[in-house]
Amino acid sequence: MKGYSIGVVGATGLVGRTILKLLEEYQINVDNLKLFASDKSKGKRIKLFGKYYYVETLYEGCFKGLDFVLFSTGAKISKIWAPKVVKEGGYVIDNSSCFRMKRNCALIVPEINLNDYKTKCKIIANPNCSTIQCVLIVKTLDDLFQVKRINYTTYQSVSGSGQKGIIELKRCLNHKNHCFYPYDISKTVIPEIDEFLINGYTKEEMKMVEETRKILHKKNLKISATCVRVPIESCHGVVVRCELVNEYSDQVFRNKLETLENIIVLDDPVNHIYPTSVIAKGNDNIYVGRIRKDLSCKNGVLLFVTSDNIRKGAASNAVQILKGIINNIN
Ligand SMILES: NC(=O)c1ccc[n+]([C@@H]2O[C@H](COP(=O)([O-])OP(=O)(O)OC[C@H]3O[C@@H](n4cnc5c(N)ncnc54)[C@H](OP(=O)(O)O)[C@@H]3O)[C@@H](O)[C@H]2O)c1
């Protein structure tokens, strides 16, 4: 099988470093690898596939000959540099929010809509971390009972803000002044992630609304979200509340979840068994528990989902998209 030329932009960041680990873990056949980061990291040496690779900064023509470039920097860098990859003939898989809602870019969770990339341009967007872990569960409910309305409430770890979030939590735990979040994250949860919009929601909340609709191809689905930062280092938890068109059957839902790869039901509350960040950290599973009927409506279900935001919420989903496209090509 052909080996591929791959670039990783943001290779020294939380998501980028995990992408590199996953290229090995998912046995991607890499012939040629180019690593990019900021000036700060220029010349850093990273060992992968038994070889050393040196980190470069971005320059005109740096993507020549690359089949796939995975971006994990931020929207500003993706906006400028991703189109240059396409000009050179390669695919982009982008972790930022830059292209997610662009009509001509696919927004993919491979278990749901991998083939969307076939009818769009060569820039593929990776969804927001909280969206990825919820949408697979929502899709299952929708297939079984038809989802009418969704409400998300997130409990998002500081690593969702990248390296800066982890440094800030450590600084606050060491009784130093906070300087990244608006409050001392070691002492409070913060119901503010990303900028506030004029509708009173934050950008992060609207990402969950719009991205869920796009991935499920349901542009009129009623959704609202509240996103909250919590003082833990990794993994996001989300309360998902779905109102359904058809009558909910707990047994049918649980039986279906048991058949899905990488979805693990942990739901024995009396014995304190439910999804926790400790269990989710470092793997690609999505953990579901506290599944129960929603008492506030006729036909609804409430549950709690946890997953590793750096893995399935970002790097793993990106590498799974890469693997999916490679499998389709071969
Ligand atoms: N963390 C999450 O849970 C998560 C989940 C989903 C999506 N994302 C998205 O993934 C992206 C990366 O997040 P992260 O958490 O990995 O952030 P991070 O830890 O702060 O890493 C940022 C990376 O971008 C690089 N970078 C910064 N400026 C650059 C420049 N001018 N040219 C080239 N590279 C540059 C950094 O290089 P240096 O090390 O040299 O500074 C670093 O490798 C963001 O768009 C984020 O929204 C993150």
Side-chain angles (χ1 to χ4, degrees):
M1 207 197 288
K2 176 183 177 313
Y4 292 91
S5 290
I6 291 182
V8 178
V9 183
T12 52
L14 283 183
V15 176
R17 277 183 277 140
T18 310
I19 286 175
L20 297 182
K21 205 158 59 170
L22 287 159
L23 291 176
E24 279 184 328
E25 228 175 87
Y26 279 68
Q27 300 180 331
I28 304 294
N29 193 355
V30 179
D31 262 356
N32 173 31
L33 185 66
K34 289 185 87 172
L35 309 181
F36 303 98
S38 77
D39 283 346
K40 193 179 89 188
S41 307
K42 191 175 178 181
K44 256 191 193 164
R45 208 169 66 142
I46 297 178
K47 195 173 181 186
L48 207 72
F49 301 107
K51 273 168 65 177
Y52 283 106
Y53 293 89
Y54 290 87
V55 176
E56 303 173 68
T57 49
L58 295 164
Y59 57 91
E60 284 305 326
C62 65
F63 302 127
K64 199 171 170 45
L66 296 179
D67 301 305
F68 297 93
V69 180
L70 290 88
F71 281 74
S72 57
T73 43
K76 280 187 194 152
I77 292 167
S78 296
K79 188 174 179 187
I80 298 166
W81 291 91
K84 296 180 196 273
V85 176
V86 178
K87 266 200 181 143
E88 297 279 8
Y91 278 100
V92 169
I93 301 170
D94 181 43
N95 273 289
S96 83
S97 57
C98 185
F99 302 102
R100 289 181 190 152
M101 296 315 297
K102 297 267 186 261
R103 275 177 77 113
N104 202 26
C105 295
L107 179 69
I108 292 179
V109 175
E111 296 90 330
I112 298 177
N113 62 334
L114 175 68
N115 287 333
D116 281 4
Y117 82 93
K118 291 180 178 168
T119 53
K120 307 273 181 185
C121 80
K122 286 177 97 173
I123 299 178
I124 296 152
N126 212 33
N128 173 271
C129 39
S130 302
T131 309
I132 293 175
Q133 69 181 63
C134 295
V135 78
L136 277 159
I137 307 300
V138 170
K139 163 87 171 126
T140 308
L141 280 167
D142 193 49
D143 289 346
L144 294 172
F145 313 110
Q146 204 184 325
V147 170
K148 188 155 105 181
R149 192 188 304 268
I150 306 166
N151 176 248
Y152 297 125
T153 306
T154 71
Y155 300 76
Q156 296 179 231
S157 64
V158 296
S159 61
S161 310
Q163 199 65 54
K164 286 185 189 135
I166 297 179
I167 293 168
E168 170 90 342
L169 176 60
K170 287 186 179 151
R171 190 168 40 231
C172 292
L173 287 170
N174 284 325
H175 310 292
K176 301 216 171 92
N177 284 344
H178 63 91
C179 58
F180 180 63
Y181 296 123
Y183 293 93
D184 179 338
I185 188 68
S186 71
K187 294 197 173 70
T188 183
V189 299
I190 302 176
E192 173 183 350
I193 300 183
D194 211 332
E195 289 163 42
F196 278 101
L197 302 166
I198 48 170
N199 67 357
Y201 285 78
T202 63
K203 272 192 183 169
E204 183 83 353
E205 290 161 353
M206 291 314 294
K207 283 177 205 166
M208 291 194 77
V209 172
E210 287 159 2
E211 293 178 22
T212 300
R213 289 179 180 146
K214 181 162 175 177
I215 296 161
L216 295 179
H217 300 168
K218 294 199 163 212
K219 59 178 180 209
N220 296 320
L221 194 55
K222 291 187 168 60
I223 311 173
S224 60
T226 303
C227 292
V228 182
R229 186 74 66 201
V230 298
I232 56 164
E233 190 170 311
S234 48
C235 301
H236 293 349
V238 186
V239 172
V240 181
R241 174 183 173 260
C242 285
E243 200 177 330
L244 310 165
V245 172
N246 300 313
E247 196 177 340
Y248 173 67
S249 157
D250 205 48
Q251 204 51 56
V252 170
F253 181 44
R254 286 172 192 270
N255 287 348
K256 182 66 190 176
L257 289 176
E258 297 291 348
T259 67
L260 301 176
E261 216 181 318
N262 294 341
I263 293 193
I264 313 260
V265 178
L266 290 179
D267 205 11
D268 183 6
V270 177
N271 290 309
H272 315 290
I273 307 236
Y274 32 68
T276 63
S277 304
V278 182
I279 289 166
K281 187 172 165 55
N283 65 68
D284 290 342
N285 295 324
I286 292 171
Y287 295 89
V288 196
R290 301 294 322 277
I291 305 170
R292 61 221 192 269
K293 278 195 86 162
D294 179 4
L295 301 178
S296 73
C297 63
K298 183 165 166 266
N299 247 331
V301 60
L302 257 178
L303 49 85
F304 189 68
V305 187
T306 301
S307 187
D308 187 326
N309 52 299
I310 304 293
R311 288 198 53 127
K312 184 59 182 165
S316 309
N317 199 69
V319 175
Q320 287 161 356
I321 293 171
L322 171 69
K323 193 162 177 138
I325 298 176
I326 287 176
N327 288 345
N328 279 348
I329 293 169
N330 286 302

